[in-house]
Amino acid sequence: MFGLVMRTPPFELQTRPNDMPSIQRKEGWEISENAVTPEEVFMNRRQLIKAGLGIAGAGVVGSLAWNHLNAENFVYDVSRYKKINFIKNEDFKVKRAMTEEAVAGNYNNFYEFSEQKGQVIGLSRNMKTRPWKIEVSGLVNKPLTLDIDDILKQFPQEERIYRFRCVEAWSMVVPWIGFKLSDLIKKVEPKAEAKYVRFLTFKDPDMAPNQKSDRYPWPYYEGLTIEEANNELTLLATGIYGHEMPPQHGAPIRVIVPWKYGFKSIKSIVKIEFTDKQPKTFWSDLIPNEYDFWSNVNPTVPHPRWSQASERLLGKLTGGTIDYTRVPTLMYNGYEAQVAHLYKKT
Ligand code: MTE
């Protein structure tokens, strides 16, 4: 996405699909998107999980070629991920076809590991997710430090199917497993002065190679207002597609805020801090004129470099391509009824 363009190998090669917008800062020496040649994609089709329901709905159907450097990364082996207990929450469904698991799990933005979506799965494969502690602190009466396994025991997990819209104009429909962030917030009893919640990802450059790059202000950080954090849609997600969260999706626990652009949904969190000041955020610190604190999905406000009126809804893997359907982008990503009140000016 977003990334700063790297001058030095291996990051000179742009390996994102060549017709996708990217959140990269445009610089004079950058290869134009049209000049990037897609490479052939290799994968073991039999090992892919066929969770997709196919492409549905109106819109242009197309496919995105994947540039790729490492064929191995395309093997999506679901047996690596442990099943977890959850109930299906039928209140959260989407009238769009679900994205195939192997597509969602091979097309990831996780800059700590790589700036190349198809490389994240391979580079994060051996991420160490146990032990994993999350500190919940700041302006609260009862600060807590929780272990991920205690979290899984203490908070009943539910599955919700959500739309997920990246600011780069691609989207997915995926079944997250997790629990409401508001359930955790209740436990720590925020003080009256707590107006915002700040989230922090781990920092471990030995585990996450791109954290060795000093072009980014690691660790990744994000923030919400306390009302946004308490909204019924905001999840702490511990799994996806019926099993624990794979590393590339932000294991072992991440935030999901489905009415905001995907970069707000911070992965692999280690800290949740309550504050009285609006927290700074990773991408708005890096590129302030393109990404702001709010970043609610809004089809009427174009990104400075591309339209946000529609999106490529990722579907299935076919040969070396991801099938997508072009669908209109919905206000607040289709969650207007649940969240519009948060932004009404009084
Ligand atoms: N969280 C961290 N820690 N690091 C990241 O690079 N990328 C964000 C978000 N959370 C990111 C992150 C972006 S840009 C998107 S679109 C989503 O994660 C992608 O989530 P997914 O890979 O599970 O689809």
Side-chain angles (χ1 to χ4, degrees), residues 1-2 23 104 107-112 164 166-168 170 172 176 201 218 220 248-250 254 262-268 283:
M1 110 174 197
F2 308 78
I23 310 177
Y107 191 82
N108 301 99
N109 278 328
F110 202 168
Y111 273 63
E112 287 82 342
F164 189 84
C166 179
V167 74
E168 294 166 333
W170 55 267
M172 339 183 267
W176 299 110
T201 295
W218 308 116
Y220 196 103
Q248 69 272 22
H249 280 298
R254 70 178 294 181
F263 63 88
K264 299 288 297 181
S265 290
I266 178 173
K267 296 177 167 182
S268 304
W283 284 109

Side-chain angles (χ1 to χ4, degrees), residues 104-239:
N106 266 298
Y107 191 82
N108 301 99
N109 278 328
F110 202 168
Y111 273 63
E112 287 82 342
F113 290 93
S114 176
E115 294 164 33
Q116 301 167 11
K117 292 178 175 59
Q119 296 251 305
V120 174
I121 186 172
L123 290 167
S124 64
R125 198 176 162 86
N126 297 319
M127 180 178 179
K128 193 166 175 273
T129 59
R130 294 293 189 284
W132 191 279
K133 301 226 178 285
I134 299 173
E135 180 189 316
V136 192
S137 58
L139 297 172
V140 293
N141 290 322
K142 297 186 171 167
L144 272 176
T145 297
L146 292 163
D147 182 82
I148 183 65
D149 292 313
D150 295 334
I151 289 179
L152 289 170
K153 277 185 219 134
Q154 265 185 53
F155 296 92
Q157 306 290 306
E158 59 177 82
E159 182 185 79
R160 296 180 177 195
I161 299 171
Y162 277 174
R163 285 174 287 268
F164 189 84
R165 169 62 156 84
C166 179
V167 74
E168 294 166 333
W170 55 267
S171 66
M172 339 183 267
V173 172
V174 294
W176 299 110
I177 299 167
F179 60 101
K180 285 184 289 182
L181 174 56
S182 61
D183 289 344
L184 174 61
I185 294 180
K186 266 184 230 137
K187 287 208 192 273
V188 295
E189 296 178 8
K191 297 186 174 167
E193 317 88 88
K195 301 282 183 246
Y196 296 92
V197 187
R198 179 173 184 265
F199 305 92
L200 206 65
T201 295
F202 70 89
K203 185 167 180 191
D204 184 349
D206 291 333
M207 182 169 83
N210 206 31
Q211 286 191 331
K212 294 196 172 104
S213 164
D214 58 11
R215 297 175 64 97
Y216 296 93
W218 308 116
Y220 196 103
Y221 45 99
E222 254 305 335
L224 296 173
T225 65
I226 198 155
E227 291 80 17
E228 290 173 333
N230 269 320
N231 186 273
E232 60 172 325
L233 293 173
T234 308
L235 295 184
L236 284 177
T238 58

